[in-house]
Amino acid sequence: MEMIERSVRLRKSHKRQSALRTVSAVLIGLAIVFVLLLGWFSPVYIADHSMEPTLRQGETILYDRLYKHFFELKRSDMVVFRDPESGALLIKRIVGLPGETVSAEGGLLLIDEFALSESDYLTPAVFDLDPVKVPDGCLYVLSDERNYGEDSRNPNIGCLPAAAVLGVVRVRLDRFTLFASEER
């Protein structure tokens, strides 16, 4: 009888330990996910129409805070940075890289006088832009909605120092989409 009671106690103890291990594993997993999300990715709510049609007002995106430390920023990357005046987070697309001359004639964006194809993500808009040489260590960024002027055309933003980039847009949560960096 005593052996049966001991066996029952051991089974109960084993079940308790197994349950504690499971709970511990789940909590550790959640902690790792939480740290990754806060340390690697950050959420941003899209508050305006400046990146339409790619990103719509009211959507939420996650931007990769570590990408810029390990890879070069590329043309067509959507980057997050702070407005120098208001401190608000802005999202814009890189169109000009250091040393390039950016201009536009009749809505056609020119990089060093060669037309840049933006048909994958942009609805054509008619605008002109006098030639601007992008300084070393800087980027020329534009809104996908080209009639929206809070981008490098605004003297308060101008050519954006690459160091001011907080991260690169990677995930749209509302209409789940992953954005990959393209080699161009």
Side-chain angles (χ1 to χ4, degrees), residues 49 51-56 121-123 144-145 172 175:
H49 300 282
M51 290 303 290
E52 286 189 2
T54 309
L55 302 174
R56 297 182 188 149
Y121 53 83
L122 186 68
T123 304
D144 281 1
E145 168 51 72
R172 174 186 18 229
R175 298 176 287 146

Side-chain angles (χ1 to χ4, degrees), residues 118-165:
E118 300 179 294
S119 60
D120 291 345
Y121 53 83
L122 186 68
T123 304
V126 178
F127 74 103
D128 290 327
L129 176 66
D130 292 333
V132 176
K133 178 135 175 119
V134 182
D136 287 340
C138 292
L139 306 163
Y140 200 87
V141 296
L142 289 176
S143 303
D144 281 1
E145 168 51 72
R146 295 293 158 81
N147 295 320
Y148 192 89
E150 292 299 311
D151 51 31
S152 288
R153 296 172 290 179
N154 180 330
N156 295 324
I157 295 173
C159 289
L160 180 69
V165 171

Side-chain angles (χ1 to χ4, degrees), residues 46 51-55 61-64 67 73-81 90-95 121 141-144 165-172 177-182:
I46 309 298
M51 290 303 290
E52 286 189 2
T54 309
L55 302 174
I61 59 96
L62 294 177
Y63 69 92
D64 181 342
Y67 180 87
L73 297 170
K74 296 176 182 60
R75 184 181 339 278
S76 84
D77 282 346
M78 288 181 287
V79 295
V80 177
F81 61 96
L90 299 178
I91 300 170
K92 304 298 171 205
R93 189 176 300 275
I94 297 174
V95 296
Y121 53 83
V141 296
L142 289 176
S143 303
D144 281 1
V165 171
L166 299 175
V168 178
V169 175
R170 287 286 171 240
V171 179
R172 174 186 18 229
T177 308
L178 296 175
F179 296 102
S181 185
E182 299 176 17

